[in-house]
Amino acid sequence: MINREWHLVSRPVGWPKPEDFALVEAEVPTPGEGQVLVRNKYLSVDPYMRGRMSAAKSYVAPFELGKVMQGGAVGEVVESHVDGIAVGDHVLHFLGWREYAVVRAENAVKVDADAAPLSTYLGVLGMTGLTAYAGLLRTASFKEGDSVFVSGAAGAVGSQVGQIAKLKGASRVIGSAGSDDKVKLLVEEYGFDAAFNYKNGKVSEQLREAAPDGVDVYFDNVGGDHLEAAIGSLNQGGRIAVCGMISVYNNTEAAPGPRNLARLIQTRGRIEGFLVGDHYDLQPQFVSEVGPWVASGRLKYRETVVEGIENNLEAFLGVLRGDNTGKMIVKL
């Protein structure tokens, strides 16, 4: 059998180009003792993967040139040498960007395909969902009555942040997005109190109009002018949780920092970055609280699904462009 897999063949400079990647055919690997062979059904593509394409030192090792890349995936076990994982079981793991993967037992998490659609374990009930939950509740120290601003609010993480804030008693939730259709989605389906299209004017002016009384919490997925605008609207004691800065990921020169950082002195504000990997202790609490919200329809989600391993790269580039609404998923 043939296993198609995506390799990084050169490190992108600026925006990734198709010639930086190659779709390679290889033999399907054979699992050994303590391993399972998984036929991947859904693959995740996420903004953080752009950082792994660089050789720069970061919180996670870069992708190796000439070797298959990695990412979240969920699939069906087709061969098992592990007690407790049987052929036909479904598992979540991090050997995506390929059709078949050999996964060690300790890196395979069984998931229930009857409890929720398999794709949700990569999104609303998976890493992106936990990112939203931990970033809002722990890093940003959200409390009932807070006013919350979320950038990239129609994405997988941002849409969940806004809804969790509403479910937990936020006084006002504001989101930014990159199209009028996404703005409409935020207000009409996700229950945001206000939203704006950042392409329609200065972010700082649109935020002041949407949040005339300021914001207590800013959940940052974008950076750049969004971060500067949030600092400008931050209330006393405000908190900023930095999840990502997608606006600068493809820059070839360092982006200028916010010009109004001195305002943090006046507001006694706080900015803190976080990584979801530091908060997996919240996983049981996250599943027990968010799972019923999803099952009952109180917390809504969208997925943008791209078909075929051959389109995995285009799906990833689509995330960087903001083409997706909700979680970007590749279905094999």
Side-chain angles (χ1 to χ4, degrees):
M1 293 191 297
I2 297 299
N3 185 27
R4 291 182 294 173
E5 54 187 39
W6 281 96
H7 290 201
L8 183 69
V9 296
S10 61
R11 301 206 180 276
V13 177
W15 275 86
K17 301 180 293 295
E19 52 264 37
D20 295 323
F21 308 85
L23 182 59
V24 176
E25 291 188 350
E27 290 187 3
V28 173
T30 301
E33 195 63 32
Q35 298 178 329
V36 294
L37 176 63
V38 181
R39 179 170 62 85
N40 288 330
K41 290 190 171 184
Y42 295 94
L43 306 178
S44 176
V45 287
D46 303 280
Y48 81 87
M49 294 174 175
R50 176 61 183 89
R52 297 196 67 187
M53 295 171 188
S54 167
K57 186 177 181 180
S58 185
Y59 60 88
V60 63
F63 293 133
E64 295 185 58
L65 292 179
K67 294 188 177 181
V68 62
M69 295 185 289
Q70 301 159 7
V74 64
E76 181 180 355
V77 175
V78 294
E79 185 177 341
S80 176
H81 300 281
V82 174
D83 290 338
I85 301 180
V87 170
D89 285 345
H90 293 92
V91 296
L92 173 69
H93 61 90
F94 287 92
L95 295 178
W97 290 81
R98 68 199 83 185
E99 292 177 307
Y100 289 86
V102 166
V103 184
R104 294 190 58 80
E106 62 267 26
N107 298 325
V109 178
K110 287 176 65 173
V111 295
D112 187 349
D114 295 325
L118 285 175
S119 59
T120 63
Y121 294 105
L122 296 175
V124 67
L125 295 178
M127 185 178 71
T128 53
L130 181 60
T131 300
Y133 189 86
L136 177 68
L137 301 183
R138 177 175 281 173
T139 305
S141 304
F142 171 85
K143 60 182 183 297
E144 186 177 354
D146 279 343
S147 174
V148 178
F149 171 44
V150 188
S151 58
V157 173
S159 60
Q160 205 155 341
V161 170
Q163 291 183 82
I164 292 172
K166 289 293 292 184
L167 287 164
K168 285 192 164 289
S171 61
R172 188 168 178 80
V173 173
I174 304 100
S176 71
S179 74
D180 292 341
D181 285 342
K182 289 181 178 180
V183 167
K184 184 178 180 181
L185 172 71
L186 292 177
V187 175
E188 295 186 0
E189 184 168 332
Y190 293 158
F192 283 57
D193 296 288
F196 59 86
N197 182 345
Y198 66 84
K199 298 176 182 178
N200 288 347
K202 290 187 66 174
V203 174
S204 57
E205 294 176 357
Q206 294 193 80
L207 178 57
R208 279 196 296 270
E209 182 177 348
D213 296 323
V215 296
D216 302 300
V217 168
Y218 170 49
F219 194 103
D220 190 17
N221 291 307
V222 173
D225 55 354
H226 282 73
L227 178 56
E228 185 170 292
I231 293 172
S233 287
L234 203 64
N235 290 330
Q236 185 166 319
R239 291 87 65 203
I240 296 174
V242 181
C243 176
M245 292 191 174
I246 197 170
S247 69
V248 303
Y249 286 170
N250 295 305
N251 288 2
T252 55
E253 297 181 1
R259 297 165 295 181
N260 57 349
L261 282 172
R263 193 168 187 278
L264 295 175
I265 302 169
Q266 172 190 342
T267 61
R268 291 73 143 182
R270 170 169 61 86
I271 300 179
E272 182 178 347
F274 75 98
L275 297 173
V276 66
D278 296 331
H279 302 282
Y280 278 118
D281 61 297
L282 289 177
Q283 181 77 23
Q285 177 183 324
F286 161 71
V287 171
S288 66
E289 186 165 23
V290 175
W293 286 342
V294 174
S296 67
R298 296 182 69 196
L299 194 152
K300 300 175 174 61
Y301 68 94
R302 290 281 190 97
E303 294 175 341
T304 299
V305 179
V306 172
E307 299 267 353
I309 186 74
E310 64 276 8
N311 294 313
N312 212 84
L313 174 59
E314 181 56 29
F316 168 70
L317 296 176
V319 170
L320 297 183
R321 292 191 299 261
D323 294 350
N324 57 303
T325 300
K327 184 76 182 77
M328 180 72 89
I329 299 286
V330 179
K331 181 180 180 181
L332 305 189

